[in-house]
Amino acid sequence: MVLCACGKKYKVPLFLVYSLVNQPFILDMAPGNSAIENFTRNGFEVYLLDFGIPGYEDKDIAASDYVVDYIQKGVRRALRHSGAEEVTIIGYCLGGTLATMYATIADEPIRNLILNVSPIDFETVPFFEELANASKEGKLDVSELLDTIGFISGNSMKAAMRMVTNPIYFSPYLSLLNKAYDDEYVKKWKRLKKWTDGHIPFTGAAMRELMQELGKENKLINGGLMIRGKEANLANITANLLVISTDFDRLVLKEQNIRVIDFVSSKDKTFKLENGGHTTRANDKDLPPFLANWLPQRSDLI
């Protein structure tokens, strides 16, 4: 867990939950290219949850384990350390899915929940549609395969993501060629390339649970999802909710998160469609436009 309270202006700290697919250092790439730096510069205390890189010995860690043993435990520590009465949860991609699962069963006081390009509704699947439909119809069951292999390597995850987003992967190199004269651009390119190539392994138990409970049965929307004996019902969420989607995202379509606002009990809830793709980007000093007003207004000045 990384934390910073430099020049804190707001009472409500931020707890960032990144995806299980890539490492979270995309949120803090370098000075002047860091979402975390932007948050702290604008007066927020920031906590970043790092799930770590699982090994084969972790193959039995399920999605619900990540929710309770990592997210909930991390939020409790952040609240205790900060002395705050409430917390803002910001989930990115699959991290937002897990954060939503947590928010449905949380005992901790969540002031704001921000879901950034996070899949919640799996009625629509943007890729491998035939396989997804076969799974939903009971014609395809990969549970036995996942039980057998127990663990999906980082290279396998990388190959799967490339198949979905960029089967022919050369445009980043063209961008580098066009700006090879710019030393600063080359440094940023290398950092981003390291991140995009750094897919991490996925535990078989987590993949099986996500594919069955969410991908096949869509239980976050349809109901029936249980986490450690508690019902993960979206109606349990009362936090101020901001759902963000982007118009050029190939991984998570707006149809996969727009309906969540219809199921939560939050009185303050907003859906925003932004211009851009899937990857989070940070500018040199300001909060992203979709957070610039929304977040400070809901965080309370000290």
Side-chain angles (χ1 to χ4, degrees), residues 15 17-18 51 63-64 66-68 71-72 75 89-107 110 112-122 210 214 219-221 225 227 230-244 256-257 259-261 263-266:
F15 188 88
V17 183
Y18 204 68
F51 290 110
S64 53
Y66 282 120
V67 169
V68 176
I71 298 178
Q72 186 168 47
V75 169
I89 309 289
I90 305 180
Y92 299 86
C93 188
L94 185 57
T97 310
L98 297 175
T100 302
M101 293 166 65
Y102 159 67
T104 64
I105 63 163
D107 297 319
I110 302 174
N112 307 303
L113 176 62
I114 300 172
L115 305 179
N116 200 328
V117 293
S118 301
I120 305 296
D121 183 356
F122 291 85
L210 291 172
L214 303 189
K219 286 186 176 181
L220 261 178
I221 293 294
L225 180 64
I227 299 176
K230 295 182 177 181
E231 183 180 4
N233 190 331
L234 289 175
N236 295 336
I237 297 177
T238 59
N240 302 324
L241 177 66
L242 176 61
V243 180
I244 302 157
Q256 291 189 280
N257 58 19
R259 285 207 299 160
V260 65
I261 63 175
F263 290 84
V264 299
S265 299
S266 310

Side-chain angles (χ1 to χ4, degrees), residues 120-152:
I120 305 296
D121 183 356
F122 291 85
E123 182 175 328
T124 299
V125 179
F127 46 85
F128 304 139
E129 184 177 0
E130 292 185 3
L131 292 178
N133 289 336
S135 176
K136 291 177 181 179
E137 295 168 3
K139 299 176 182 178
L140 175 67
D141 186 358
V142 298
S143 297
E144 186 174 341
L145 174 63
L146 290 172
D147 286 339
T148 301
I149 61 175
F151 185 76
I152 304 169

Side-chain angles (χ1 to χ4, degrees), residues 186-198:
V186 172
K187 290 178 183 178
K188 289 183 179 181
W189 187 93
K190 287 180 177 180
R191 287 192 290 262
L192 185 60
K193 183 69 164 57
K194 180 179 179 180
W195 176 79
T196 56
D197 286 342

Side-chain angles (χ1 to χ4, degrees), residues 8-78:
K8 185 167 73 169
K9 291 167 49 180
Y10 297 100
K11 294 180 181 179
V12 184
L14 310 182
F15 188 88
L16 314 185
V17 183
Y18 204 68
S19 175
L20 294 174
V21 179
N22 289 93
Q23 296 184 64
F25 68 80
I26 184 67
L27 299 177
D28 191 29
M29 294 285 277
N33 186 26
S34 167
I36 290 176
E37 182 183 35
N38 289 355
F39 284 133
T40 58
R41 184 186 287 114
N42 283 275
F44 291 94
E45 185 175 16
V46 180
Y47 296 82
L48 171 64
L49 178 64
D50 188 340
F51 290 110
I53 301 176
Y56 183 77
E57 66 276 11
D58 301 309
K59 63 184 177 64
D60 295 323
I61 297 177
S64 53
D65 297 323
Y66 282 120
V67 169
V68 176
D69 297 332
Y70 289 72
I71 298 178
Q72 186 168 47
K73 185 178 291 186
V75 169
R76 288 175 177 173
R77 290 185 63 182

